[in-house]
Amino acid sequence: MRFLLPRGRVVSAVTDVSFDVRAGECLVLVGESGCGKSVLASALLGLLPGNAQTAGSAVLGGAVLGDAGAPGRGSAGLGSTGRGFPGRGSAGPGFPGRGSTGHVPSGHAPSGFGSPGLDLLAADERTLARRVRGRLVGLVPQSPAAHLTPVRTVRSQLEETVAELRGPRGPQEARGPWRGRAALRTAAADAAERAAFPASHLDRYPHELSGGLAQRAAVALALAGDAPLLLADEPTTGLDRDLVDLTVDELRRHVDTGPADGAGRRGMLMITHDLAAASRVADRVAVMYAGRIVEICDAADFFGARGPRHPYSRGLLDALPDRAFIPVPGLPPELSDLPPGCAFAARCGHATRACGTVPTPGAVTDGAGVPGAGRTPAPVPSPAPAVPPRAGASPGTGASARATALPGLVACHHPHRPEHPEPEPESVEPTHA
């Protein structure tokens, strides 16, 4: 995923990223600001600006689409195909833009999927707007105040969302008993209560809300559609610790309980800087640095005595106040000028000459064999100290062993290409970190 800028500049925001989200699982994506986490989430819902180009695939598992490709309420997830789709905005071989093909062609569904899924990167705007956003994939946006309609009350926006996604105009499987104004108001109030949004503030406008209340309103809107897959981009921003715990526990409960009709299980990709919140709800942790996922690890190992393997992952944990409280030295590289090899080498005390080589996608895996992008890091001495579970943590915390046996819901894959000289801006290929 890259952005074309004036004067031929290219920003490689996300490079060679492969991961999946399984039914009944919470995958937490962590990393410093500017590493590409939110851009990745935006790409899955077709919310990138016009100068963005994507390659690879992000496949929503066939089970969530129901029979004959109709939106259903089965288990959802992302799975990888390793194949791009030609489309608008193509700037050269192997790096297509957004196309108009909504489904992965038969025979190209990712491993572990019983039927072809929907490629979110290739889907057109009509498919994304009418079938995906809110119905199949819910979103908690990073900046909730910017996503709330300023001239309408929170109650009005919740009622409209419930009516659109679960009412007579929504998918038949998701329809609720919205017969009359009173039933619709009750459903909207229930969604607000799940997100700990106070009923006394439902008739207020967005400008009358604090940052924390706006965040909880955004969470309520995301939960209202009962989507099988939830993308939560910094869902705890602006909340105090008690509300952070309450919010992530509710999101975890959303995953564990399954849809209201009892069919299938949900999945969640949560993006956060809050490692304490991540330890509370994660089954697996993916660490992103300079546009690449450098490690995917079971949450029990990541936060436990074993600890993560990559030096950057260990640096994030060591920066916590209840750990060594030592910040990661240096600054991240510019995404428009990434160095060859491991992008973290300049900040790493364990770097060797091998770190200057181009990483091999798939070299880093978790216990279930899920590939990450990057070179196997050098061994790091002194395992990280264990972190005891937080009091009152959700029963789903650290339940990675349970999740590994479940089928994939959604998977993203970006095909790896060897380095080559940079061509003219019209056909430039991204440099590899």
Side-chain angles (χ1 to χ4, degrees):
M1 186 185 310
R2 64 184 184 179
F3 296 93
L4 303 183
L5 303 180
R7 297 184 295 277
R9 293 182 61 227
V10 176
V11 174
S12 299
V14 178
T15 305
D16 294 336
V17 164
S18 295
F19 68 90
D20 70 349
V21 181
R22 304 160 186 164
E25 178 190 48
C26 174
L27 175 66
V28 174
L29 184 60
V30 301
E32 292 171 287
S33 297
C35 68
K37 305 186 300 298
S38 295
V39 169
L40 178 60
S42 297
L44 297 179
L45 289 175
L47 300 177
L48 295 174
N51 65 332
Q53 294 181 334
T54 60
S57 59
V59 182
L60 194 63
V64 72
L65 302 176
D67 295 334
R73 305 301 297 174
S75 297
L78 288 171
S80 65
T81 67
R83 171 174 176 147
F85 290 83
R88 299 187 301 273
S90 179
F95 213 104
R98 294 199 59 81
S100 56
T101 303
H103 292 271
V104 176
S106 178
H108 294 286
S111 175
F113 284 74
S115 61
L118 173 68
D119 186 356
L120 300 177
L121 298 186
D124 57 24
E125 176 60 25
R126 180 184 178 91
T127 299
L128 291 170
R130 298 197 175 189
R131 296 182 52 194
V132 176
R133 297 181 191 132
R135 294 182 172 89
L136 300 181
V137 183
L139 174 66
V140 180
Q142 186 179 36
S143 302
H147 287 74
L148 296 173
T149 304
V151 296
R152 300 182 62 184
T153 64
V154 175
R155 186 192 302 276
S156 172
Q157 295 181 59
L158 274 172
E159 290 178 357
E160 180 186 46
T161 300
V162 171
E164 180 67 25
L165 301 182
R166 301 171 62 188
R169 289 179 292 177
Q172 182 175 358
E173 297 85 350
R175 293 177 188 174
W178 319 128
R179 299 177 181 177
R181 178 74 175 174
L184 189 60
R185 287 176 67 89
T186 299
D190 289 344
E193 184 179 2
R194 291 179 62 189
F197 189 91
S200 59
H201 289 60
L202 281 172
D203 292 315
R204 295 191 178 185
Y205 292 88
H207 72 273
E208 299 177 302
L209 305 178
S210 65
L213 283 174
Q215 185 68 55
R216 281 181 273 172
V219 172
L221 288 167
L223 296 177
D226 203 25
L229 179 65
L230 187 63
L231 303 181
D233 191 357
E234 298 286 356
T236 59
T237 299
L239 304 181
D240 59 36
R241 178 47 55 185
D242 289 341
L243 283 175
V244 166
D245 292 346
L246 188 151
T247 299
V248 296
D249 284 351
E250 180 56 42
L251 293 176
R252 179 76 231 194
R253 194 175 298 113
H254 175 81
V255 173
D256 291 337
T257 56
D261 62 2
R265 303 181 71 181
R266 302 186 184 99
M268 178 170 66
L269 173 63
M270 186 172 87
I271 297 171
T272 186
H273 294 285
D274 190 339
L275 292 180
S279 68
R280 193 175 180 90
V281 299
D283 292 303
R284 290 186 297 152
V285 178
V287 182
M288 198 166 191
Y289 183 77
R292 291 182 182 273
I293 290 181
V294 298
E295 181 170 10
I296 300 179
C297 181
D298 284 348
D301 291 334
F302 188 90
F303 295 105
R306 180 177 177 180
R309 298 178 61 199
H310 198 281
Y312 176 64
S313 306
R314 288 184 176 270
L316 291 179
L317 287 176
D318 287 341
L320 295 176
D322 57 349
R323 299 276 186 133
F325 205 26
I326 300 175
V328 180
L331 296 173
E334 291 288 339
L335 294 179
S336 59
D337 188 24
L338 292 173
C342 178
F344 186 64
R347 307 172 67 185
C348 180
H350 302 278
T352 67
R353 293 182 61 183
C355 298
T357 60
V358 177
T360 302
V364 179
T365 64
D366 66 2
V370 178
R375 177 186 52 79
T376 302
V380 180
S382 66
V387 174
R390 294 179 56 85
S394 165
T397 301
S400 53
R402 175 203 63 206
T404 53
L406 297 171
L409 295 180
V410 64
C412 298
H413 176 74
H414 184 292
H416 176 77
R417 293 177 300 281
E419 287 190 321
H420 52 79
E422 181 174 330
E424 295 298 323
E426 288 76 12
S427 61
V428 64
E429 294 291 323
T431 53
H432 285 280

